Amino acid sequence: MQVHDIAVIRGDGIGPELVDASLTVLGAVTAKGSFELRYTEIDAGADTYRRTGTACSAEDLEHLRSGVAAALKGPVGLPDVRFPDGTEAGLLGGILRTGLDAYANVRPALLLPGVTSPLGSVRPGGIDYVIVRENTEGLYASRGKGVGNRWAVSDALITTREGTLRVCRRAFELAAGRGGAPSDGKHRVTCVDKSNVLRSHALFREIFFEVAAEFPDIETETLYADAAAQALVLRPGDFDVLVMENFLGDVLSDLGGATVGGISLCGSGNIGDGSAYFEPIHGSAPSIAGKGLANPIGQILAAAMMLDHLGHAAEAGLVRAAVANALEDGEVRIAPDGSAPGGPEAVARAIADRVG
């Protein structure tokens, strides 16, 4: 039997209960006997930083880099764990994305059955696109490196040819394997930028078109970021895959999450050529930890993305179908604020039963 070594980072706040829920669903998948997942716990996050002075040890980072097939990560961060400059300590994005060279942050936005979009009459599946966010450069390359004083601070934005080439290729390859935009079925990649203002974004757009020439069967579109924000609300069904700089991807993927019922329903993958880890896109919400309200669907869909990455597309499809069925028949309900009445354990059981 094929065995995959998987690292598990439970995270902070609601993270541990969400990860437990996803492991319940993965257990229902592996019970079918086609492969095995072997887990290793990694101590990382804000509570780890508070206890040890580091969010993730060098030894654990190396294990994530070379000792596992993938990692499943819960949300991290605690509001009272801060650096002296006031920014959050114990976050893992800058550590893992650059440390593992996981350069593509893949964030699907899908309107699921049983979920009402704030946009009104959009039907399930009427929003179905993926944002591919460059994960190691852009404005966030300045994380912890801003220069200045109490009167002024400068953060630099960096775009490189190699970094842009590889993330754009990832976006086009993803589009080639999807079913196209819901409105017209066309395979389309949209480049989102502010190339009318920033030279770094002008380079991003230039390289985007270089890569597009390698994929003549895929339609291309370009939008400035402000226009894209409007279009994701007014015509979300026209989008298939969107690719963009790091900061823009962070902002617009949350906007997209709101249109499909909230970011608690959205999983994501951070994927490089060698390493990958999978997580929901939302935060750790410590105020509701342990209260039976946390919604584990984003975490469970992140686990499905991990199965895809491991080469088990059929099993990933079973998980997604189980999520959709549990929502459609009403056994799993999502409150207007994105929480899940009954809590992550009950949601996980309902989904796991449908996987079986």
Side-chain angles (χ1 to χ4, degrees), residues 179-325:
S183 65
D184 57 14
K186 290 185 178 180
H187 298 270
R188 179 182 298 115
V189 179
T190 303
C191 177
V192 178
D193 58 50
K194 286 297 291 183
S195 58
N196 56 330
V197 177
L198 299 171
R199 288 183 63 189
S200 56
H201 283 209
L203 177 62
F204 194 103
R205 181 178 285 204
E206 176 186 329
I207 296 169
F208 168 80
F209 281 119
E210 290 180 20
V211 175
E214 302 172 13
F215 298 87
D217 295 332
I218 296 178
E219 187 175 294
T220 60
E221 176 186 30
T222 59
L223 286 173
Y224 296 137
D226 39 359
Q230 175 176 257
L232 287 172
V233 173
L234 295 180
R235 55 179 185 92
D238 291 348
F239 294 101
D240 181 17
V241 176
L242 305 93
V243 64
M244 62 198 73
E245 176 267 338
N246 203 334
F247 174 72
L248 293 182
D250 191 7
V251 174
L252 293 182
S253 59
D254 276 24
L255 183 153
T259 68
V260 297
I263 58 175
S264 63
L265 294 166
C266 300
S268 74
N270 301 273
I271 304 168
D273 294 331
S275 300
Y277 68 97
F278 300 85
E279 61 182 343
I281 72 172
H282 58 75
S284 63
S287 63
I288 64 168
K291 295 183 178 179
L293 293 172
N295 180 354
I297 288 178
Q299 187 82 57
I300 291 167
L301 292 176
M305 294 179 72
M306 184 180 75
L307 293 177
D308 275 326
H309 179 74
L310 296 172
H312 300 293
E315 289 81 0
L318 286 176
V319 173
R320 294 187 182 100
V323 170
N325 290 339

Side-chain angles (χ1 to χ4, degrees), residues 53-79:
T54 183
C56 182
S57 71
E59 295 78 12
D60 282 338
L61 183 60
E62 180 56 34
H63 183 69
L64 290 166
R65 185 183 295 117
S66 59
V68 295
L72 184 64
K73 172 188 166 293
V76 301
L78 293 170

Side-chain angles (χ1 to χ4, degrees), residues 165-176:
L165 281 170
R166 64 185 187 175
V167 78
C168 286
R169 286 197 181 106
R170 179 77 65 167
F172 277 92
E173 289 164 358
L174 183 60

